[in-house]
Amino acid sequence: MHCVSSKHAVMMGSFCQGALLLSLAAAMAVYADMKVDCGPDFVTLMWTESRPQADTSLLRLGSCFPTSFSAGEAYFYVDLTDCNFRILVTGDVLLYSNDLTYVASDDSYNLAFTHPVVCAYERPKDWYSSQQIYDPVFKTYGLGDLQFTIGLMNDDFSGPAESTSFPLGSIIPIMASVVQKTHQPLLLLLEECVAATTPELYPESTMYPIISNKGCLLESVSSQSKFEPRQKSSEMRLSLQTFKFAMGEEVFIHCKLLAWDPNGLDNTKKACHFVKGHGWELLDNLAQSNLCDCCESKCKSRRQRSVASEKHGMVQKAVIGPFTITDVNS
């Protein structure tokens, strides 16, 4: 069976060999047609290009070069274990995701682009992988035509966490992302995160602040916690050093995720962490680190709030966990 994506439009899901192909149309999709087969353990992708000056050898599926290419086509035949496919398990569904990218040369008239591709399979009952995610550590939230995802990752952020137990002082890799279907490019921010021992927050809940004051990573002041450099604007990576809180108990991290206009950063729309010897720094532009000066006081927007400004982004509450912090000395 052959799965064919729709042309000049948002890609529609199609079943093939027990798999569901989901893909979002990129800006450059109007110039090309993409056909994908989700095999039992492999993926084939055919990209047919209509721009006469486009160099199909510059297409990449994850880390993989085209298996073959010509003046107007690029063909990929790859195993799901290659090309840096990402794995996510949600309930009975096993997701393999990657990105088709066009790496434009400096003298090219053709713009670079990224085209997400996801194959979803019914999860075998006896399936297990070292990259398996432990439900409900990784969660997805829908808000309008935005889809937010947050979860615990492995050490190099290449896949889901292999364990939900973290020794005191170790690093918890956390990744959040937003999938944009029809929006202009958005910047993902972590506006607030607190740790608690309950999956819901109550007035009497014992909480431990991690990110506060509209995007200030408080934990970076006294630990090795930090925001990692962005791989893409719609994604945030946080290396959080474990802290002494609810040792041995179930811990949940409650966050507010904000998808915002990349050009609309201010004192209340930012990602700041404390760098030893330098002070507070803005993740996305060191030259604008003065936006982080308020992290030591109270961050308030200098702009007049308006209905128009609220349309620049959306806020989604999300929860990570449960996981446990263990004392290696006990």
Side-chain angles (χ1 to χ4, degrees), residues 21 41 51 59 96 102 111 125 139 159 178 214 228 235 247 258-259 268 285 287 307 315 324 328-329:
L21 169 68
D41 55 4
R51 295 171 297 170
L59 286 162
Y96 286 84
Y102 182 79
L111 297 176
K125 294 182 179 180
K139 293 187 177 180
V178 59
K214 304 295 184 179
E228 299 291 349
E235 180 181 287
M247 305 298 294
L258 172 65
T268 63
N285 187 349
V307 175
V315 177
T324 56
V328 294
N329 297 317

Side-chain angles (χ1 to χ4, degrees), residues 67-326:
T67 306
S68 63
F69 59 88
S70 63
E73 292 183 338
Y75 175 72
F76 295 85
Y77 183 103
V78 299
D79 291 336
L80 289 171
T81 54
D82 295 333
C83 309
N84 292 331
F85 271 89
R86 300 177 292 273
I87 304 175
L88 173 64
V89 179
T90 56
D92 295 330
V93 178
L94 182 62
L95 300 174
Y96 286 84
S97 64
N98 215 325
D99 295 307
L100 179 73
T101 57
Y102 182 79
V103 187
S105 57
D106 294 336
D107 57 350
S108 174
Y109 291 101
N110 297 301
L111 297 176
F113 66 85
T114 299
H115 201 323
V117 175
V118 180
C119 284
Y121 301 83
E122 183 178 351
R123 179 185 177 185
K125 294 182 179 180
D126 57 350
W127 184 88
Y128 176 81
S129 167
S130 60
Q131 287 190 316
Q132 181 177 353
I133 193 65
Y134 298 85
D135 184 67
V137 176
F138 211 101
K139 293 187 177 180
T140 299
Y141 303 82
L143 181 62
D145 56 358
L146 297 180
Q147 181 173 288
F148 293 83
T149 304
I150 189 168
L152 307 178
M153 305 298 290
N154 59 13
D155 291 342
D156 62 359
F157 292 90
S158 62
E162 300 174 9
S163 173
T164 58
S165 179
F166 299 90
L168 181 63
S170 64
I171 298 297
I172 304 177
I174 296 173
M175 185 168 74
S177 64
V178 59
V179 174
Q180 306 151 207
K181 297 180 181 179
T182 60
H183 275 263
Q184 63 180 13
L186 292 173
L187 185 73
L188 183 68
L189 299 170
L190 292 176
E191 186 176 80
E192 177 182 292
C193 289
V194 298
T197 55
T198 55
E200 301 285 342
L201 288 179
Y202 304 100
E204 64 274 15
S205 295
T206 301
M207 291 179 284
Y208 185 99
I210 298 170
I211 299 174
S212 187
N213 216 353
K214 304 295 184 179
C216 301
L217 179 56
L218 304 181
E219 271 299 287
S220 62
V221 176
S222 58
S223 74
Q224 298 178 35
S225 299
K226 61 180 179 178
F227 291 123
E228 299 291 349
R230 288 189 191 270
Q231 303 299 307
K232 54 182 73 173
S233 65
S234 58
E235 180 181 287
M236 280 205 76
R237 297 181 177 188
L238 167 63
S239 290
L240 178 66
Q241 187 173 27
T242 51
F243 38 86
K244 209 161 191 176
F245 175 78
M247 305 298 294
E249 299 180 41
E250 287 190 341
V251 176
F252 300 82
I253 295 180
H254 300 257
C255 293
K256 286 184 181 179
L257 310 181
L258 172 65
W260 193 253
D261 179 359
N263 299 315
L265 295 180
D266 63 17
N267 298 71
T268 63
K269 307 293 185 298
K270 64 189 185 304
C272 299
H273 56 187
F274 190 86
V275 179
K276 308 299 186 291
H278 295 274
W280 288 97
E281 292 186 354
L282 186 69
L283 172 66
D284 297 294
N285 187 349
L286 286 177
Q288 289 186 283
S289 290
N290 62 304
L291 296 181
C292 303
D293 291 346
C294 63
C295 286
E296 298 290 346
S297 55
K298 181 69 173 177
C299 294
K300 298 180 180 179
S301 178
R302 297 173 182 174
R303 303 178 181 180
Q304 291 291 327
R305 293 179 65 87
S306 66
V307 175
S309 67
E310 291 303 309
K311 294 180 180 178
H312 287 223
M314 292 186 177
V315 177
Q316 174 66 54
K317 293 183 179 180
V319 183
I320 312 168
F323 62 91
T324 56
I325 303 172
T326 59

